[in-house]
Amino acid sequence: MTESIYVGVDVGGTSIKLGLVNGEGNLLGTFEGPTGTEAGSEVVLQNITEYVRKLVDQSDYDWGQVAGCGLGFPGFMDMSSGIVRFAPNLRWTNVPVREPLEHILQKPVRINNDANVAALGEAWAGAGKGIDDLVLLTLGTGVGGGIIAAGKIHEGYNGMAGELGHIQIVPDLEAIRCGCGQKGCLETVSSATGIVRMAQDALERGEKTALGMEPEVSAKAVLDAARAGDEVAIRIVTRAGYYLGRTMSMLAVILNPQRFIVGGGVSQAGDILFGPIREAFAKYTPPAIQEGIDIVPAVLGNQAGVVGAAGLLLRS
Amino acid sequence: MTESIYVGVDVGGTSIKLGLVNGEGNLLGTFEGPTGTEAGSEVVLQNITEYVRKLVDQSDYDWGQVAGCGLGFPGFMDMSSGIVRFAPNLRWTNVPVREPLEHILQKPVRINNDANVAALGEAWAGAGKGIDDLVLLTLGTGVGGGIIAAGKIHEGYNGMAGELGHIQIVPDLEAIRCGCGQKGCLETVSSATGIVRMAQDALERGEKTALGMEPEVSAKAVLDAARAGDEVAIRIVTRAGYYLGRTMSMLAVILNPQRFIVGGGVSQAGDILFGPIREAFAKYTPPAIQEGIDIVPAVLGNQAGVVGAAGLLLRS
């Protein structure tokens, strides 16, 4: 019997990444091409099918071995009907994906949200391998989230579960307005954007810090400065970590995951971020619930998306 | 073909309630007997098997039609192995339930936490009938919780998910210590106990209220006074509702349920409680996530436990 393989597709606004994955979640080959967003959804779907065929053609595997194709999209979607409801980066509203792709590829197709798919990737073959209940928090421009429960993505009733960046964790007194319209969302303090904003605020207040030396403050600059001992930078990263830890406390009593995985660029900060996360989590989580839970960095990086998308065929 | 029926058992510290339930979650018969906690776990298990047989004997159904038996316990347990890890009300530590009962009854047996089981009951045949993603909050001595996702109980990695009473929703500045050791837990303000405490605080501060007329302040007295227009009582019930609504906002972005169900004695307060809940929820939930979610009272009352326990056979 020949081995079944799975195609995972990570659709972004500028590029589409693909991976060929085996039944254990190992990456056997990759492909990347432009999305072609400006040409409209039909062209994007054509590009996807073309890239899928190229990925398989370039590999040592036959088309007949492909058991299906999973796709992760940035935005909101109806997973069961396979329709992308709203994807601002692609300028899509109500674009059917599953049906047309199944028709063209003649293979089962699954779609899901990109943050959910990344969580599934880490759960299947990354930092959560072998663990059925986990939460991924991805620290980037915003804070993305994905919940894996009993080995599967927790989707919610209309696919909007896991919007963990919009947990209102910052107390009203010190909360600022988030892009979502609410105040005090986790991503106002723990995303790259949040870290940059806190640094700019410190500079505007005239605080003594090495950060001002750079022409533009980046999250990486703040993390580097914190590691180098800059007190203002340390305070900012500690605050980002503190609210992540408190959010995890809250998630732990609600979801009881076995592991929290922190991904995204900011997560590469290391102990300077994970220290405050773990400290706040230990302080604010009831001991009985805290027991046996760990907090670890993601390991798959950009590949979590394609691996997890391929995993949709096996785990949804 | 004869109809399959299911036995649901709700094990409490003083009494054991049983229900015979059909495949649609309708209650066909009930039985209740003393738990016998003081005689130890072996006797309690004997009582359970005796009551199960009596329940079926008293009914119009045959033992052969019984497809299995589900049990809800107050405490923490390992659902997959069927062992109750810790149930303080029963004074149990590490008591195997599934295996001995399956051996005696010669039927499949499932166990779960009583709050989870109540949520499953409401989802199956109560206020959440036909809805696959919902959250039940039970307002009693504490605040219990149960999460139903994709039609099943969200258990978490060691069965401790849904401890919604211990979400730390009250800001640190006005938070008081909870029995769990943490501060600001939902149940410090939104349980019957929390409502009584707030009333006692108001009386101690010498606030002008009709509440002091009673020899002892009960949660019911506070709810009745609020309905009668007592301003202090209204403020207390509004605060209980406000933090319930804010907790639901948080749960909505995490879990994306379609419905919140509020059960337990306090939930019978009606609009005086549900008004503030809905107001806070509307104010603090991002509009896109709020859409299509409703907040309703539970309908099964004490029967949620036996119905949901029976449902464990079909939905876990």
Side-chain angles (χ1 to χ4, degrees), chain B residues 223-236:
Chain B
L223 299 172
D224 288 345
R227 266 193 301 257
D230 184 89
E231 284 188 21
V232 169
I234 290 173
R235 200 189 62 217
I236 290 167

Side-chain angles (χ1 to χ4, degrees), chain A residues 147 149 154 156-163 168 172-173 182 246 250 253-258 283-284 291-292, chain B residues 147 149 154 156-163 168 172-173 182 246 250 253-258 283-285 291-292:
Chain A
I147 299 165
H154 176 108
Y157 102 93
N158 60 2
M160 293 177 80
E163 289 291 328
Q168 288 158 56
D172 294 351
L173 280 175
Q182 294 297 325
R246 288 210 73 163
M250 202 157 272
V253 299
I254 298 166
L255 298 168
N256 184 222
Q258 187 172 359
K283 184 171 173 190
Y284 292 105
E291 207 186 300
Chain B
I147 299 165
H154 175 109
Y157 101 93
N158 61 1
M160 292 177 81
E163 289 291 327
Q168 288 157 58
D172 294 352
L173 280 176
Q182 294 298 324
R246 287 209 74 162
M250 202 158 272
V253 300
I254 298 167
L255 297 169
N256 183 222
Q258 187 172 359
K283 184 171 174 190
Y284 291 105
T285 314
E291 208 186 299

